[in-house]
Amino acid sequence: MFTLFSSGSLLVRRRVRRDLALVLCWTALLAFVVVLGAAAPRVIVSSVDDGARQAVSDAGSNADLIVHTAIGSSNGGGPSVSPTDILAFTSTLRTHLPRGLAATFSTATLSVTSPSTTITNVDGVAPANTLLNLEMGMLTPQQTATIHLVQGAFPTASDDTATSIGVVVSAAVAQAANVKVGGVLALPRPESRFGAAQSGVGNQLVVVGIVDQTDTSAKANVLWTWLPQVWKPRVSYLDNGTKNVEVTVLASPDGVAKSSGFFAQPINSFVRVQLKPEAFSRSLVDEVSKEFLALAANSNSLSPQFGAALGSGGTFADALATYPTLAQAAIAQMSLMIAGLLGVAGTVVLLLSRLIILRRSDELALERARGASIASIGMRAFEESLATAVVGGVFGIGILALVLPDALRDPVILSLVLLVALFAPAVQSMLVARSLWSRSRVPANRVARAEIASRARLRRVVIEAALFVLAGAALFSIRTRGLLETRTDGIDPLLAVAPLLLAAAITILVLRIYPFILRGVALLARRSRGAMGVLASMQAERALAVLPLLALTLAVALAASGGLVIETVRTGELEASWQRVGADVRVSTSDDVPLTANDVTAVASRTGVTAVASARISTQVSISSARSSASVGLVAIDRNYAQLVALIPTASGGGARSAATLRGVATSTSASEPLPVVVDKGFDQQITAKDVLLSVDNKNVPARVVGTVDVGPDGYTSGPFVFVDLAALSARIGEPVQPNTLLITGPGAGAAASALSVPKSDIHTRTAWLATQQHGPLISGVIEVMTISVAGVVALAIVALVSTVLSGARTRARSLALLRTLGMRSRLGWWLALTELAPIVVAAVIGGLTAGIGIVLFVAPVIGLKLLTGGLHPPVPAVSATVVLVIVGTAILLLILATAVEVLAHRRDNLSEMLRIGDTR
């Protein structure tokens, strides 16, 4: 035991002082990997949670929980619950909600509305040629805080009598119903269950005040969701010219309680539970979705003591239907990059620790020669690694505590990193010491030696073949399985292992192929004059070590795949913007605001507009043949539409072909001939006949299919589509067909559209769509993770190259000292370092680019890039020359940097003294 620990501290201190540069690199690397290992899972979770919050925020009121019940009963019965009970239930509802809904609860707002009834008598005088459809709502304290009195007073219990109830109306309702303060709205008496009108039931609403809104914000308007006619009476006209006015009046809770006999049906109450988007996470989205379903099945669990049957529902799951799949795609992308980054980091950790140990191989051999045991050598290495792990771990945890304290809650990866840092140097020291002083003997018999070498080669071939099989199986599994990523608290192991296995397989392949290339180069180098060529070829032949090459290959592969995926997403977003908008700007109006020929002419004459086309897009138009019928989207286009389609870029390059086909619908034909139409590619197989019948505005128009296209407005409306000429369709149905869509291209498209007299909400621009798409939490999170990962692997590659240079510095110094005795210059250390590192860098760039491009081409179709780009189809993987050139240029810069480190490390070496004294310090 004494031998095991003796002189350990002294040796450790001396080694640390001598190899201080490498030890500091090791400690800094360890701190970096600690931060990376702990923060990586939190980055994924944070991005996905931000996406959940954004999805709930975008859903708006569609994500709310609605709880409803009846206040009054039909046929004049007493109320099942009173308005006071409903108000109390609303105020305490949060305490009865399930865990997920309670955690995301924001506010609960109550709306009470009666059935609609028709009034034919206002102030005792029947309105001339007017029907007044009236609903009564309850004025809650929340609503009262957002309005003010214009005239009169708010209704109170003193305003209610046995035959009348006091109400307030808005100024708009007062004008539409032609009532003033003191006016009476007489309701028809409800019928009894036997069909006769009930007697003794009050049926008068007395207007005691007129109100208006003080707060018109979106938050305040939620209070009036169920009472839309309070502020905006709806006016329409019947076929006989009778004016129909729909209004809502407001009564106090006491008034509503006394009005149950006024209506033949119960009064309904709706409690809208609004949820806080900022409180959501991915797990809470799933939990709340399940709670919505559970409450729909058993709503009375919200209030077991409540006296009436409750009902609940909402469209939360439908409103967030796209989020889970989008989150899965984002997790897959981020997991791919983070796993690769952790793989590079782990490889560099092993590399640097092994380089430190190999630098001390001569000392380990001396220790073994002097009787030191393998265990004592490992213990001394463990003492050193324990000190550096503590220092590096403390620095890393300190950075995490300041920057990302939540990351410390998940200690799994952090613990693994620290365990590797603790035991890797000790294990590697013992393995190196064992290999340097092995008790095994080499047989003298040549046949026996050949048999041993043959078994070793067989073992190597089996291991390498197994690695290739595993890499192929992992990639094949991802490709066939598709996107089944469901984890939100970590990294999918399958996504993690596949790129790493592919890079490792390519590294092995490079190790087997590259020596043949080097032999040809070495033949030329050995023919050169002087010893530098021979020495350079020897350095290059022995430079390709597994760990340095694997670390750099992984780094290049990750940088290439990340850069290419970013380029693919950006390219896909650009194409998706054309699909979703249809042009640089699209103006889509309602039937109330039709576009005219003057609008088209005015836009076309604006500066910066290259093309303008108008169309009438109608959905649910019937098309039929002798054998089948279908509902389609009808696109009636003008003569400029084909020209605009030709200008729109598409991945398939089919814009020009489709434009040529669309020109066929403008073929001049008489009204007696069938209308030429062009249909979606694929839809012609559903409508097999050439002669079809279109039903437009209740008129049947004979038509003939003259071609098919593979472009259409399916990015912003539903298909399949049938294209016809706008003027020809107008001639067939006997009335002008006004366009409702205007497509504009060119740098001045936005300004031209803004000059039109249409609501701003009808104008859709590609730039706005792209900004919304690119700045979404999930998409921006994926891009951010990829960018950070690429920057991280560049830093790790620098560490790998610099540590490789430092580890071989002493050997090169001895070589230079010997070469100096042969009359060569002493400042050629950079040449030796360059010839040692260049083969590794070149091989890593070739293998890494192959692996990175292979990963993108093979995996891109199944990791949800379509969801990230927002397009209609998965984007075509973009093998960008720019990304490749940037990686090659970065590799050259790193090689120059590593060579510069060699020059700085030996700028003060005394080669004569090294030969005289030796290198035992």
Side-chain angles (χ1 to χ4, degrees):
M1 183 62 68
F2 175 77
T3 305
L4 190 63
F5 293 98
S6 61
S7 303
S9 299
L10 179 61
L11 284 175
V12 168
R13 289 196 301 271
R14 287 181 176 179
R15 287 172 178 173
V16 170
R17 283 198 302 268
R18 186 191 59 204
D19 301 330
L20 184 60
L22 281 175
V23 172
L24 289 178
C25 287
W26 164 261
T27 306
L29 175 64
L30 182 58
F32 175 73
V33 175
V34 165
V35 173
L36 180 66
R42 295 303 305 167
V43 170
I44 296 178
V45 173
S46 177
S47 298
V48 174
D49 288 347
D50 287 343
R53 299 178 189 107
Q54 184 65 45
V56 176
S57 179
D58 292 342
S61 60
N62 292 326
D64 296 343
L65 173 68
I66 308 299
V67 182
H68 54 87
T69 188
I71 291 181
S73 60
S74 60
N75 298 321
S80 52
V81 290
S82 69
T84 305
D85 294 333
I86 293 293
L87 287 169
F89 169 76
T90 303
S91 64
T92 60
L93 178 58
R94 181 176 186 175
T95 60
H96 302 294
L97 289 173
R99 194 197 73 87
L101 283 167
T104 58
F105 177 91
S106 176
T107 57
T109 58
L110 172 64
S111 296
V112 176
T113 179
S114 72
S116 178
T117 186
T118 301
I119 296 178
T120 57
N121 195 321
V122 179
D123 287 340
V125 179
N129 205 27
T130 299
L131 292 177
L132 192 64
N133 290 322
L134 181 141
E135 292 180 351
M136 184 176 68
M138 185 176 78
L139 190 61
T140 66
Q142 290 174 309
Q143 294 169 340
T144 304
T146 66
I147 62 177
H148 66 277
L149 279 170
V150 175
Q151 187 179 358
F154 286 112
T156 61
S158 60
D159 297 319
D160 305 328
T161 65
T163 58
S164 66
I165 293 175
V167 297
V168 294
V169 298
S170 68
V173 168
Q175 182 178 2
N178 195 25
V179 295
K180 299 179 178 60
V181 174
V184 177
L185 304 173
L187 304 179
R189 294 185 183 277
E191 294 182 351
S192 69
R193 70 183 63 183
F194 302 106
Q198 297 183 54
S199 61
V201 177
N203 67 331
Q204 291 184 340
L205 304 179
V206 179
V207 179
V208 298
I210 298 175
V211 296
D212 204 353
Q213 285 183 285
T214 301
D215 187 354
T216 58
S217 63
K219 183 177 180 180
N221 285 333
V222 172
L223 300 170
W224 309 99
T225 302
W226 301 101
L227 305 169
Q229 282 82 45
V230 171
W231 310 111
K232 294 181 180 180
R234 185 178 301 162
V235 179
S236 59
Y237 292 88
L238 305 181
D239 293 339
N240 59 5
T242 301
K243 182 180 180 181
N244 188 58
V245 182
E246 300 177 38
V247 299
T248 301
V249 301
L250 301 173
S252 67
D254 290 330
V256 171
K258 296 176 182 178
S259 68
S260 60
F262 280 31
F263 305 97
Q265 299 296 326
I267 296 175
N268 295 314
S269 67
F270 301 91
V271 180
R272 176 181 293 274
V273 178
Q274 294 177 275
L275 307 178
K276 293 185 293 187
E278 62 274 14
F280 271 89
S281 63
R282 168 68 187 273
S283 59
L284 276 177
V285 168
D286 297 335
E287 184 176 352
V288 169
S289 295
K290 294 176 182 178
E291 291 174 354
F292 265 81
L293 294 176
L295 286 177
N298 184 21
S299 302
N300 283 332
S301 62
L302 291 173
S303 183
Q305 307 300 324
F306 203 62
L310 292 173
S312 65
T315 57
F316 183 89
D318 294 335
L320 276 74
T322 60
Y323 165 74
T325 308
L326 183 59
Q328 290 169 5
I331 292 171
Q333 293 293 322
M334 290 185 285
S335 297
L336 192 66
M337 299 305 297
I338 293 297
L341 183 56
L342 289 174
V344 175
T347 307
V348 173
V349 167
L350 294 176
L351 168 64
L352 188 53
S353 65
R354 181 168 179 78
L355 291 177
I356 294 174
I357 299 304
L358 290 178
R359 181 183 175 90
R360 301 169 179 172
S361 57
D362 293 342
E363 296 177 11
L364 297 180
L366 288 174
E367 286 189 63
R368 288 288 288 153
R370 294 171 181 174
S373 66
I374 298 291
S376 64
I377 291 174
M379 183 58 65
R380 282 188 284 275
F382 180 78
E383 291 179 20
E384 182 180 347
S385 64
L386 177 62
T388 55
V390 169
V391 174
V394 167
F395 273 105
I397 293 173
I399 294 172
L400 287 172
L402 293 175
V403 179
L404 196 63
D406 287 346
L408 298 175
R409 299 179 183 177
D410 188 7
V412 177
I413 296 181
L414 178 62
S415 302
L416 291 176
V417 169
L418 292 176
L419 287 175
V420 170
L422 277 174
F423 293 102
V427 172
Q428 289 176 338
S429 295
M430 290 188 290
L431 291 176
V432 170
R434 184 176 181 276
S435 65
L436 291 174
W437 196 272
S438 176
R439 294 182 179 180
S440 62
R441 297 289 183 265
V442 178
N445 187 287
R446 184 170 57 185
V447 175
R449 292 199 303 271
E451 184 179 353
I452 292 174
S454 176
R455 286 199 298 266
R457 283 195 300 270
L458 182 61
R459 284 195 300 269
R460 188 198 71 196
V461 170
V462 170
I463 294 173
E464 292 176 359
L467 180 62
F468 279 99
V469 170
L470 285 175
L475 289 174
F476 179 77
S477 178
I478 291 179
R479 186 63 182 261
T480 55
R481 184 193 69 162
L483 184 64
L484 295 179
E485 171 65 77
T486 57
R487 297 184 60 182
T488 59
D489 58 346
I491 296 172
D492 183 4
L494 186 60
L495 284 171
V497 74
L500 299 179
L501 286 175
L502 178 61
I506 290 179
T507 300
I508 298 301
L509 191 62
V510 169
L511 285 171
R512 298 293 166 251
I513 294 176
Y514 209 76
F516 297 100
I517 301 174
L518 283 180
R519 287 174 188 174
V521 176
L523 288 176
L524 297 176
R526 288 177 181 136
R527 292 177 180 271
S528 63
R529 299 177 62 182
M532 291 305 295
V534 177
L535 188 60
S537 63
M538 293 177 59
Q539 291 279 93
E541 286 182 2
R542 69 184 184 185
L544 285 182
V546 176
L547 277 178
L549 182 59
L550 178 60
L552 292 176
T553 301
L554 284 174
V556 174
L558 186 65
S561 60
L564 293 177
V565 167
I566 291 175
E567 188 70 18
T568 300
V569 171
R570 292 304 188 200
T571 304
E573 286 175 339
L574 286 175
E575 183 177 354
S577 68
W578 289 104
Q579 296 169 353
R580 294 302 184 184
V581 179
D584 285 320
V585 175
R586 184 184 80 248
V587 180
S588 298
T589 63
S590 62
D591 292 338
D592 298 334
V593 189
L595 296 168
T596 65
N598 292 334
D599 293 331
V600 179
T601 303
V603 170
S605 63
R606 299 276 298 192
T607 303
V609 174
T610 57
V612 180
S614 62
R616 171 74 182 191
I617 301 178
S618 306
T619 58
Q620 303 298 317
V621 174
S622 175
I623 182 173
S624 59
S625 65
R627 296 183 179 180
S628 61
S629 63
S631 179
V632 297
L634 181 66
V635 185
I637 60 177
D638 64 9
R639 300 301 175 94
N640 298 322
Y641 191 88
Q643 176 188 356
L644 184 136
V645 168
L647 297 176
I648 295 176
T650 60
S652 61
R657 295 192 301 270
S658 297
T661 305
L662 289 173
R663 292 188 182 97
V665 303
T667 303
S668 178
T669 59
S670 64
S672 60
E673 295 179 359
L675 178 68
V677 300
V678 170
V679 300
D680 270 346
K681 191 173 184 178
F683 181 66
D684 59 328
Q685 298 176 3
Q686 183 177 346
I687 301 293
T688 57
K690 293 296 183 182
D691 292 320
V692 295
L693 192 68
L694 285 174
S695 179
V696 182
D697 293 340
N698 297 321
K699 296 179 181 179
N700 293 328
V701 179
R704 175 168 295 169
V705 178
V706 297
T708 61
V709 293
D710 54 4
V711 298
D714 46 351
Y716 49 91
T717 188
S718 59
F721 301 102
V722 173
F723 296 86
V724 301
D725 184 69
L726 187 65
L729 180 63
S730 300
R732 296 305 194 281
I733 65 176
E735 60 185 42
V737 178
Q738 297 291 342
N740 59 4
T741 302
L742 195 63
L743 301 175
I744 315 168
T745 61
S754 300
L756 293 173
S757 299
V758 297
K760 299 302 180 184
S761 58
D762 292 344
I763 300 176
H764 310 274
T765 66
R766 280 199 320 112
T767 54
W769 188 92
L770 277 172
T772 302
Q773 179 70 16
Q774 293 174 353
H775 291 90
L778 288 175
I779 289 84
S780 59
V782 169
I783 300 300
E784 182 181 359
V785 166
M786 290 184 178
T787 304
I788 293 174
S789 298
V790 171
V793 298
V794 170
L796 291 170
I798 293 174
V799 173
L801 279 177
V802 170
S803 59
T804 302
V805 169
L806 294 177
S807 65
R810 294 167 63 191
T811 302
R812 286 189 298 274
R814 286 195 297 265
S815 299
L816 283 173
L818 292 172
L819 289 173
R820 186 176 178 277
T821 63
L822 300 176
M824 302 198 62
R825 289 181 299 168
S826 60
R827 297 300 179 185
L828 291 176
W830 66 271
W831 172 254
L832 294 179
L834 184 64
T835 56
E836 183 176 337
L837 295 177
I840 300 177
V841 173
V842 172
V845 169
I846 295 174
L849 286 175
T850 303
I853 294 173
I855 290 170
V856 173
L857 293 179
F858 200 81
V859 178
V862 295
I863 54 177
L865 292 182
K866 170 188 171 182
L867 298 172
L868 295 179
T869 60
L872 300 176
H873 313 287
V876 178
V879 182
S880 172
T882 303
V883 174
V884 175
L885 291 176
V886 167
I887 290 175
V888 173
T890 303
I892 294 174
L893 289 177
L894 293 182
L895 185 58
I896 294 173
L897 174 64
T899 307
V901 170
E902 165 70 16
V903 174
L904 292 175
H906 295 284
R907 67 186 184 278
R908 295 181 179 178
D909 282 353
N910 190 328
L911 300 181
S912 300
E913 184 178 346
M914 182 175 294
L915 288 178
R916 182 172 59 83
I917 299 177
D919 189 25
T920 59
R921 62 188 188 282

